[in-house]
Amino acid sequence: MAKPLTDFKRRRLAGFGISVLSLAALSSFHFVGSIARLPLELWSGFLLYLLVLFLAAFNSRKKLPFLPLLKASTWLQFHIYTGLVGVFLYFLHTGFGWPDGTLEILLATVFAIVSLSGFFGIFISRWLPRRMQESGDALTYEEIPAQQRKLRERMETCILEAGREAKSTLLPDFYTTKLSAFINSKPGLFDALYLRKTLQGWRREAEALNRYLSDSERPYHRRLLDCLEQKQHIDFLESANRLLRLWLFIHIPFSCSLIVLGLVHGIIALAFTSSG
């Protein structure tokens, strides 16, 4: 385990070093080019488009794992650091300002969506899987509905047994008036990014009920609290899986749009330069 971790740190350090050198080289070229009155917008735009094409190639690499095109993890490192360089190059290309043309504004908006979704995707792809592994039993996205159904059945059975065996309506009433809607609810899209306060409130209210229960009801009460813990775990996994899928449905289509819009923008820019 130590060697792969060391290799990862080396790749990350190498990627960071190359990125810093690339940023320094771009800054120097831009400074010298501005003094020499070179067509910097043309050259920076051409280089930026090449970087966008390279970044888009990462998705193609993931679909062709059998080809000897370096490891996917290596491509991911290239993708991350090239993306950072691309954002800096974009600002150099636009002069650190917001464009005013219709096509340019559309292109800038799409670029911002691609960049922000990419940074967000890096964050959740690094953070969420680790939390999912630490949270308990792993479940695939397809297994979650079945587990939710089993949990509801388990809680309903617990409540029915509590009412029948303990001959009390405290737990059944609490479940019907308080917990039923919560147990059948779906987690929010971003619930996986923070501790779920809603569940903590329900748990405190459920624990407060303990003082009014008889000794025969308390075993069912403990089972109810266990079900709440399981509800939290399943909700977290569902929210995390949806988030890990959703960001790609934003990042990849907008990346394709960026390629098309960038090509149109480049053709118009070349045509305008030639006619000028």
Side-chain angles (χ1 to χ4, degrees):
M1 179 63 76
K3 188 177 186 301
L5 185 60
T6 302
D7 291 342
F8 173 75
K9 289 182 177 179
R10 286 177 179 173
R11 289 200 305 269
R12 185 166 59 181
L13 184 61
F16 179 76
I18 294 173
S19 299
V20 171
L21 291 175
S22 300
L23 295 178
L26 288 172
S27 300
S28 301
F29 179 76
H30 189 269
F31 176 73
V32 173
S34 61
I35 296 176
R37 298 185 179 276
L38 296 176
L40 291 176
E41 290 186 355
L42 189 62
W43 286 105
S44 60
F46 178 71
L47 180 57
L48 180 59
Y49 191 72
L50 289 180
L51 288 181
V52 170
L53 290 177
F54 174 79
L55 291 169
F58 176 63
N59 186 54
S60 300
R61 167 61 183 86
K62 290 193 296 184
K63 294 179 179 179
L64 301 172
F66 53 88
L67 294 180
L69 300 174
L70 300 178
K71 295 180 180 178
S73 59
T74 303
W75 269 83
L76 178 59
Q77 293 301 307
F78 280 128
H79 189 83
I80 293 172
Y81 292 110
T82 303
L84 292 173
V85 173
V87 170
F88 179 75
L89 181 58
Y90 169 81
F91 284 116
L92 285 180
H93 178 66
T94 58
F96 293 87
W98 187 255
D100 51 9
T102 302
L103 178 61
E104 287 74 14
I105 291 175
L106 180 60
L107 189 58
T109 302
V110 172
F111 187 88
I113 293 173
V114 171
S115 300
L116 292 174
S117 63
F119 292 137
F120 180 71
I122 292 170
F123 167 69
I124 63 173
S125 297
R126 294 282 177 85
W127 187 61
L128 278 181
R130 185 169 64 250
R131 283 199 62 198
M132 292 168 70
Q133 188 175 13
E134 294 171 352
S135 66
D137 296 335
L139 294 173
T140 64
Y141 191 71
E142 291 72 19
E143 293 173 328
I144 288 175
Q147 292 299 318
Q148 290 172 330
R149 185 171 59 254
K150 289 180 181 179
L151 178 63
R152 287 193 295 268
E153 293 172 354
R154 179 182 165 194
M155 291 193 73
E156 290 169 359
T157 300
C158 173
I159 294 302
L160 289 174
E161 290 179 357
R164 183 174 60 251
E165 299 297 330
K167 294 181 175 57
S168 171
T169 61
L170 275 177
L171 283 176
D173 288 346
F174 179 72
Y175 178 81
T176 302
T177 60
K178 300 283 187 178
L179 281 184
S180 179
F182 170 64
I183 293 300
N184 289 282
S185 67
K186 289 287 186 179
L189 178 62
F190 296 100
D191 277 6
L193 299 181
Y194 55 87
L195 292 176
R196 194 157 181 196
K197 295 181 180 180
T198 303
L199 178 60
Q200 293 172 353
W202 283 121
R203 185 174 177 83
R204 283 194 299 269
E205 194 166 349
E207 288 175 343
L209 186 67
N210 184 60
R211 71 185 68 176
Y212 304 107
L213 299 177
S214 64
D215 291 340
S216 60
E217 291 175 293
R218 288 197 170 95
Y220 300 104
H221 181 253
R222 286 193 292 270
R223 286 168 57 184
L224 186 65
L225 294 179
D226 290 341
C227 288
L228 285 177
E229 292 291 338
Q230 187 66 17
K231 164 72 172 171
Q232 181 185 38
H233 174 62
I234 295 175
D235 278 2
F236 168 73
L237 292 179
E238 181 178 7
S239 178
N241 273 285
R242 280 193 299 179
L243 204 56
L244 288 169
R245 291 173 175 225
L246 179 63
W247 84 269
L248 287 173
F249 283 106
I250 296 175
H251 189 68
I252 294 177
F254 275 95
S255 297
C256 296
S257 301
L258 183 61
I259 292 174
V260 175
L261 289 173
L263 181 61
V264 174
H265 173 70
I267 292 173
I268 294 174
L270 287 173
F272 179 79
T273 303
S274 300
S275 62

